[in-house]
PDB file of all heavy atoms in Angstrom:
ATOM      1  N   ARG A  13      -7.794 -25.183  20.894  1.00  0.00           N
ATOM      2  CA  ARG A  13      -6.949 -26.123  20.166  1.00  0.00           C
ATOM      3  C   ARG A  13      -6.642 -25.655  18.747  1.00  0.00           C
ATOM      4  O   ARG A  13      -5.845 -26.289  18.035  1.00  0.00           O
ATOM      5  CB  ARG A  13      -7.596 -27.513  20.135  1.00  0.00           C
ATOM      6  CG  ARG A  13      -7.847 -28.124  21.502  1.00  0.00           C
ATOM      7  CD  ARG A  13      -7.905 -29.634  21.448  1.00  0.00           C
ATOM      8  NE  ARG A  13      -6.629 -30.215  21.050  1.00  0.00           N
ATOM      9  CZ  ARG A  13      -6.433 -31.537  20.860  1.00  0.00           C
ATOM     10  NH1 ARG A  13      -7.437 -32.378  21.022  1.00  0.00           N
ATOM     11  NH2 ARG A  13      -5.247 -31.992  20.490  1.00  0.00           N
ATOM     12  N   LEU A  14      -7.246 -24.567  18.331  1.00  0.00           N
ATOM     13  CA  LEU A  14      -7.015 -24.081  16.967  1.00  0.00           C
ATOM     14  C   LEU A  14      -5.568 -23.652  16.754  1.00  0.00           C
ATOM     15  O   LEU A  14      -5.018 -23.807  15.657  1.00  0.00           O
ATOM     16  CB  LEU A  14      -7.963 -22.924  16.663  1.00  0.00           C
ATOM     17  CG  LEU A  14      -9.448 -23.289  16.566  1.00  0.00           C
ATOM     18  CD1 LEU A  14     -10.306 -22.029  16.424  1.00  0.00           C
ATOM     19  CD2 LEU A  14      -9.694 -24.235  15.390  1.00  0.00           C
ATOM     20  N   SER A  15      -4.926 -23.119  17.794  1.00  0.00           N
ATOM     21  CA  SER A  15      -3.525 -22.703  17.666  1.00  0.00           C
ATOM     22  C   SER A  15      -2.616 -23.904  17.428  1.00  0.00           C
ATOM     23  O   SER A  15      -1.574 -23.778  16.765  1.00  0.00           O
ATOM     24  CB  SER A  15      -3.085 -21.936  18.912  1.00  0.00           C
ATOM     25  OG  SER A  15      -3.296 -22.707  20.083  1.00  0.00           O
ATOM     26  N   GLU A  16      -3.006 -25.080  17.948  1.00  0.00           N
ATOM     27  CA  GLU A  16      -2.229 -26.294  17.693  1.00  0.00           C
ATOM     28  C   GLU A  16      -2.220 -26.625  16.205  1.00  0.00           C
ATOM     29  O   GLU A  16      -1.195 -27.052  15.653  1.00  0.00           O
ATOM     30  CB  GLU A  16      -2.825 -27.479  18.462  1.00  0.00           C
ATOM     31  CG  GLU A  16      -2.808 -27.373  19.965  1.00  0.00           C
ATOM     32  CD  GLU A  16      -3.501 -28.570  20.604  1.00  0.00           C
ATOM     33  OE1 GLU A  16      -3.285 -29.705  20.116  1.00  0.00           O
ATOM     34  OE2 GLU A  16      -4.273 -28.379  21.557  1.00  0.00           O
ATOM     35  N   ILE A  17      -3.346 -26.429  15.565  1.00  0.00           N
ATOM     36  CA  ILE A  17      -3.468 -26.739  14.142  1.00  0.00           C
ATOM     37  C   ILE A  17      -2.586 -25.815  13.313  1.00  0.00           C
ATOM     38  O   ILE A  17      -1.895 -26.260  12.391  1.00  0.00           O
ATOM     39  CB  ILE A  17      -4.940 -26.634  13.706  1.00  0.00           C
ATOM     40  CG1 ILE A  17      -5.758 -27.706  14.424  1.00  0.00           C
ATOM     41  CG2 ILE A  17      -5.079 -26.770  12.198  1.00  0.00           C
ATOM     42  CD1 ILE A  17      -7.252 -27.537  14.280  1.00  0.00           C
ATOM     43  N   LEU A  18      -2.590 -24.521  13.646  1.00  0.00           N
ATOM     44  CA  LEU A  18      -1.740 -23.583  12.922  1.00  0.00           C
ATOM     45  C   LEU A  18      -0.267 -23.909  13.121  1.00  0.00           C
ATOM     46  O   LEU A  18       0.554 -23.718  12.215  1.00  0.00           O
ATOM     47  CB  LEU A  18      -2.030 -22.151  13.380  1.00  0.00           C
ATOM     48  CG  LEU A  18      -3.452 -21.636  13.163  1.00  0.00           C
ATOM     49  CD1 LEU A  18      -3.535 -20.161  13.522  1.00  0.00           C
ATOM     50  CD2 LEU A  18      -3.931 -21.867  11.736  1.00  0.00           C
ATOM     51  N   ARG A  19       0.071 -24.406  14.297  1.00  0.00           N
ATOM     52  CA  ARG A  19       1.458 -24.809  14.567  1.00  0.00           C
ATOM     53  C   ARG A  19       1.832 -26.052  13.760  1.00  0.00           C
ATOM     54  O   ARG A  19       2.924 -26.131  13.185  1.00  0.00           O
ATOM     55  CB  ARG A  19       1.616 -25.099  16.062  1.00  0.00           C
ATOM     56  CG  ARG A  19       3.010 -25.580  16.483  1.00  0.00           C
ATOM     57  CD  ARG A  19       2.930 -26.263  17.837  1.00  0.00           C
ATOM     58  NE  ARG A  19       2.125 -27.483  17.757  1.00  0.00           N
ATOM     59  CZ  ARG A  19       1.508 -28.039  18.815  1.00  0.00           C
ATOM     60  NH1 ARG A  19       1.581 -27.461  20.003  1.00  0.00           N
ATOM     61  NH2 ARG A  19       0.817 -29.153  18.668  1.00  0.00           N
ATOM     62  N   ASP A  20       0.920 -27.017  13.694  1.00  0.00           N
ATOM     63  CA  ASP A  20       1.211 -28.288  13.029  1.00  0.00           C
ATOM     64  C   ASP A  20       1.083 -28.209  11.518  1.00  0.00           C
ATOM     65  O   ASP A  20       1.703 -29.001  10.793  1.00  0.00           O
ATOM     66  CB  ASP A  20       0.285 -29.386  13.570  1.00  0.00           C
ATOM     67  CG  ASP A  20       0.519 -29.683  15.040  1.00  0.00           C
ATOM     68  OD1 ASP A  20       1.580 -29.275  15.566  1.00  0.00           O
ATOM     69  OD2 ASP A  20      -0.355 -30.314  15.675  1.00  0.00           O
ATOM     70  N   TYR A  21       0.259 -27.268  11.028  1.00  0.00           N
ATOM     71  CA  TYR A  21       0.057 -27.131   9.580  1.00  0.00           C
ATOM     72  C   TYR A  21       0.295 -25.670   9.181  1.00  0.00           C
ATOM     73  O   TYR A  21      -0.645 -24.889   9.044  1.00  0.00           O
ATOM     74  CB  TYR A  21      -1.358 -27.566   9.188  1.00  0.00           C
ATOM     75  CG  TYR A  21      -1.631 -29.029   9.460  1.00  0.00           C
ATOM     76  CD1 TYR A  21      -2.364 -29.422  10.577  1.00  0.00           C
ATOM     77  CD2 TYR A  21      -1.138 -30.015   8.616  1.00  0.00           C
ATOM     78  CE1 TYR A  21      -2.608 -30.766  10.833  1.00  0.00           C
ATOM     79  CE2 TYR A  21      -1.377 -31.360   8.860  1.00  0.00           C
ATOM     80  CZ  TYR A  21      -2.104 -31.722   9.971  1.00  0.00           C
ATOM     81  OH  TYR A  21      -2.344 -33.055  10.220  1.00  0.00           O
ATOM     82  N   PRO A  22       1.545 -25.291   8.983  1.00  0.00           N
ATOM     83  CA  PRO A  22       1.869 -23.902   8.637  1.00  0.00           C
ATOM     84  C   PRO A  22       1.127 -23.395   7.407  1.00  0.00           C
ATOM     85  O   PRO A  22       0.857 -22.197   7.302  1.00  0.00           O
ATOM     86  CB  PRO A  22       3.384 -23.948   8.396  1.00  0.00           C
ATOM     87  CG  PRO A  22       3.855 -25.117   9.213  1.00  0.00           C
ATOM     88  CD  PRO A  22       2.751 -26.124   9.138  1.00  0.00           C
ATOM     89  N   VAL A  23       0.779 -24.299   6.483  1.00  0.00           N
ATOM     90  CA  VAL A  23       0.069 -23.863   5.285  1.00  0.00           C
ATOM     91  C   VAL A  23      -1.286 -23.267   5.646  1.00  0.00           C
ATOM     92  O   VAL A  23      -1.761 -22.315   5.003  1.00  0.00           O
ATOM     93  CB  VAL A  23      -0.079 -25.030   4.273  1.00  0.00           C
ATOM     94  CG1 VAL A  23      -1.009 -26.106   4.813  1.00  0.00           C
ATOM     95  CG2 VAL A  23      -0.560 -24.522   2.926  1.00  0.00           C
ATOM     96  N   LEU A  24      -1.918 -23.783   6.685  1.00  0.00           N
ATOM     97  CA  LEU A  24      -3.180 -23.214   7.148  1.00  0.00           C
ATOM     98  C   LEU A  24      -2.955 -21.901   7.891  1.00  0.00           C
ATOM     99  O   LEU A  24      -3.812 -21.017   7.864  1.00  0.00           O
ATOM    100  CB  LEU A  24      -3.917 -24.218   8.050  1.00  0.00           C
ATOM    101  CG  LEU A  24      -4.539 -25.422   7.347  1.00  0.00           C
ATOM    102  CD1 LEU A  24      -5.174 -26.364   8.370  1.00  0.00           C
ATOM    103  CD2 LEU A  24      -5.579 -24.995   6.317  1.00  0.00           C
ATOM    104  N   ALA A  25      -1.815 -21.785   8.538  1.00  0.00           N
ATOM    105  CA  ALA A  25      -1.501 -20.540   9.243  1.00  0.00           C
ATOM    106  C   ALA A  25      -1.319 -19.386   8.266  1.00  0.00           C
ATOM    107  O   ALA A  25      -1.537 -18.221   8.621  1.00  0.00           O
ATOM    108  CB  ALA A  25      -0.234 -20.714  10.080  1.00  0.00           C
ATOM    109  N   GLU A  26      -0.931 -19.693   7.028  1.00  0.00           N
ATOM    110  CA  GLU A  26      -0.707 -18.648   6.029  1.00  0.00           C
ATOM    111  C   GLU A  26      -1.847 -18.515   5.037  1.00  0.00           C
ATOM    112  O   GLU A  26      -1.783 -17.691   4.120  1.00  0.00           O
ATOM    113  CB  GLU A  26       0.597 -18.947   5.272  1.00  0.00           C
ATOM    114  CG  GLU A  26       1.835 -18.919   6.146  1.00  0.00           C
ATOM    115  CD  GLU A  26       1.977 -17.594   6.885  1.00  0.00           C
ATOM    116  OE1 GLU A  26       1.731 -16.542   6.265  1.00  0.00           O
ATOM    117  OE2 GLU A  26       2.316 -17.617   8.077  1.00  0.00           O
ATOM    118  N   ALA A  27      -2.888 -19.304   5.203  1.00  0.00           N
ATOM    119  CA  ALA A  27      -4.011 -19.271   4.263  1.00  0.00           C
ATOM    120  C   ALA A  27      -5.032 -18.214   4.654  1.00  0.00           C
ATOM    121  O   ALA A  27      -5.338 -18.038   5.832  1.00  0.00           O
ATOM    122  CB  ALA A  27      -4.697 -20.647   4.219  1.00  0.00           C
ATOM    123  N   GLN A  28      -5.552 -17.505   3.663  1.00  0.00           N
ATOM    124  CA  GLN A  28      -6.639 -16.551   3.849  1.00  0.00           C
ATOM    125  C   GLN A  28      -6.334 -15.500   4.912  1.00  0.00           C
ATOM    126  O   GLN A  28      -7.230 -15.051   5.628  1.00  0.00           O
ATOM    127  CB  GLN A  28      -7.935 -17.298   4.227  1.00  0.00           C
ATOM    128  CG  GLN A  28      -8.372 -18.367   3.235  1.00  0.00           C
ATOM    129  CD  GLN A  28      -8.628 -17.798   1.862  1.00  0.00           C
ATOM    130  OE1 GLN A  28      -7.760 -17.792   1.020  1.00  0.00           O
ATOM    131  NE2 GLN A  28      -9.817 -17.299   1.640  1.00  0.00           N
ATOM    132  N   VAL A  29      -5.074 -15.120   5.039  1.00  0.00           N
ATOM    133  CA  VAL A  29      -4.669 -14.187   6.092  1.00  0.00           C
ATOM    134  C   VAL A  29      -5.251 -12.794   5.847  1.00  0.00           C
ATOM    135  O   VAL A  29      -5.169 -12.243   4.748  1.00  0.00           O
ATOM    136  CB  VAL A  29      -3.131 -14.111   6.205  1.00  0.00           C
ATOM    137  CG1 VAL A  29      -2.720 -12.950   7.110  1.00  0.00           C
ATOM    138  CG2 VAL A  29      -2.578 -15.424   6.733  1.00  0.00           C
ATOM    139  N   LEU A  30      -5.829 -12.251   6.899  1.00  0.00           N
ATOM    140  CA  LEU A  30      -6.368 -10.899   6.887  1.00  0.00           C
ATOM    141  C   LEU A  30      -5.858 -10.205   8.143  1.00  0.00           C
ATOM    142  O   LEU A  30      -6.170 -10.630   9.256  1.00  0.00           O
ATOM    143  CB  LEU A  30      -7.897 -10.936   6.881  1.00  0.00           C
ATOM    144  CG  LEU A  30      -8.646  -9.608   6.760  1.00  0.00           C
ATOM    145  CD1 LEU A  30      -8.441  -9.006   5.377  1.00  0.00           C
ATOM    146  CD2 LEU A  30     -10.129  -9.821   7.022  1.00  0.00           C
ATOM    147  N   THR A  31      -5.054  -9.170   7.978  1.00  0.00           N
ATOM    148  CA  THR A  31      -4.512  -8.473   9.138  1.00  0.00           C
ATOM    149  C   THR A  31      -5.525  -7.459   9.662  1.00  0.00           C
ATOM    150  O   THR A  31      -6.507  -7.131   8.992  1.00  0.00           O
ATOM    151  CB  THR A  31      -3.207  -7.736   8.785  1.00  0.00           C
ATOM    152  OG1 THR A  31      -3.510  -6.678   7.866  1.00  0.00           O
ATOM    153  CG2 THR A  31      -2.196  -8.692   8.165  1.00  0.00           C
ATOM    154  N   LEU A  32      -5.247  -6.956  10.849  1.00  0.00           N
ATOM    155  CA  LEU A  32      -6.140  -5.948  11.448  1.00  0.00           C
ATOM    156  C   LEU A  32      -6.241  -4.722  10.546  1.00  0.00           C
ATOM    157  O   LEU A  32      -7.334  -4.190  10.315  1.00  0.00           O
ATOM    158  CB  LEU A  32      -5.620  -5.563  12.835  1.00  0.00           C
ATOM    159  CG  LEU A  32      -6.484  -4.602  13.649  1.00  0.00           C
ATOM    160  CD1 LEU A  32      -7.861  -5.190  13.897  1.00  0.00           C
ATOM    161  CD2 LEU A  32      -5.795  -4.293  14.981  1.00  0.00           C
ATOM    162  N   ARG A  33      -5.128  -4.292  10.008  1.00  0.00           N
ATOM    163  CA  ARG A  33      -5.126  -3.121   9.123  1.00  0.00           C
ATOM    164  C   ARG A  33      -5.886  -3.412   7.827  1.00  0.00           C
ATOM    165  O   ARG A  33      -6.682  -2.586   7.370  1.00  0.00           O
ATOM    166  CB  ARG A  33      -3.689  -2.711   8.818  1.00  0.00           C
ATOM    167  CG  ARG A  33      -3.584  -1.468   7.945  1.00  0.00           C
ATOM    168  CD  ARG A  33      -2.136  -1.056   7.765  1.00  0.00           C
ATOM    169  NE  ARG A  33      -2.017   0.142   6.959  1.00  0.00           N
ATOM    170  CZ  ARG A  33      -0.861   0.737   6.656  1.00  0.00           C
ATOM    171  NH1 ARG A  33       0.276   0.225   7.135  1.00  0.00           N
ATOM    172  NH2 ARG A  33      -0.833   1.816   5.917  1.00  0.00           N
ATOM    173  N   GLU A  34      -5.646  -4.565   7.250  1.00  0.00           N
ATOM    174  CA  GLU A  34      -6.325  -4.926   6.005  1.00  0.00           C
ATOM    175  C   GLU A  34      -7.824  -5.062   6.195  1.00  0.00           C
ATOM    176  O   GLU A  34      -8.605  -4.779   5.283  1.00  0.00           O
ATOM    177  CB  GLU A  34      -5.749  -6.236   5.458  1.00  0.00           C
ATOM    178  CG  GLU A  34      -4.348  -6.131   4.922  1.00  0.00           C
ATOM    179  CD  GLU A  34      -3.726  -7.480   4.606  1.00  0.00           C
ATOM    180  OE1 GLU A  34      -4.155  -8.489   5.211  1.00  0.00           O
ATOM    181  OE2 GLU A  34      -2.808  -7.536   3.771  1.00  0.00           O
ATOM    182  N   SER A  35      -8.229  -5.489   7.382  1.00  0.00           N
ATOM    183  CA  SER A  35      -9.654  -5.743   7.615  1.00  0.00           C
ATOM    184  C   SER A  35     -10.492  -4.474   7.519  1.00  0.00           C
ATOM    185  O   SER A  35     -11.692  -4.542   7.212  1.00  0.00           O
ATOM    186  CB  SER A  35      -9.855  -6.392   8.988  1.00  0.00           C
ATOM    187  OG  SER A  35      -9.603  -5.469  10.046  1.00  0.00           O
ATOM    188  N   LEU A  36      -9.879  -3.325   7.769  1.00  0.00           N
ATOM    189  CA  LEU A  36     -10.644  -2.077   7.727  1.00  0.00           C
ATOM    190  C   LEU A  36     -11.211  -1.812   6.338  1.00  0.00           C
ATOM    191  O   LEU A  36     -12.283  -1.214   6.204  1.00  0.00           O
ATOM    192  CB  LEU A  36      -9.763  -0.912   8.169  1.00  0.00           C
ATOM    193  CG  LEU A  36      -9.203  -1.000   9.598  1.00  0.00           C
ATOM    194  CD1 LEU A  36      -8.296   0.196   9.882  1.00  0.00           C
ATOM    195  CD2 LEU A  36     -10.337  -1.082  10.615  1.00  0.00           C
ATOM    196  N   SER A  37     -10.510  -2.259   5.304  1.00  0.00           N
ATOM    197  CA  SER A  37     -10.985  -2.039   3.939  1.00  0.00           C
ATOM    198  C   SER A  37     -12.181  -2.923   3.592  1.00  0.00           C
ATOM    199  O   SER A  37     -12.873  -2.670   2.601  1.00  0.00           O
ATOM    200  CB  SER A  37      -9.855  -2.280   2.933  1.00  0.00           C
ATOM    201  OG  SER A  37      -9.452  -3.637   2.942  1.00  0.00           O
ATOM    202  N   CYS A  38     -12.431  -3.944   4.390  1.00  0.00           N
ATOM    203  CA  CYS A  38     -13.566  -4.832   4.117  1.00  0.00           C
ATOM    204  C   CYS A  38     -14.901  -4.089   4.228  1.00  0.00           C
ATOM    205  O   CYS A  38     -15.882  -4.466   3.593  1.00  0.00           O
ATOM    206  CB  CYS A  38     -13.564  -6.011   5.081  1.00  0.00           C
ATOM    207  SG  CYS A  38     -12.176  -7.146   4.856  1.00  0.00           S
TER     208      CYS A  38
END
């Protein structure tokens, strides 16, 4: 159901975004 939340609240879909490429630097 988490995908429903990202659909209903776009601000959460764009919050704290970490892409696969960016994650390598972690």
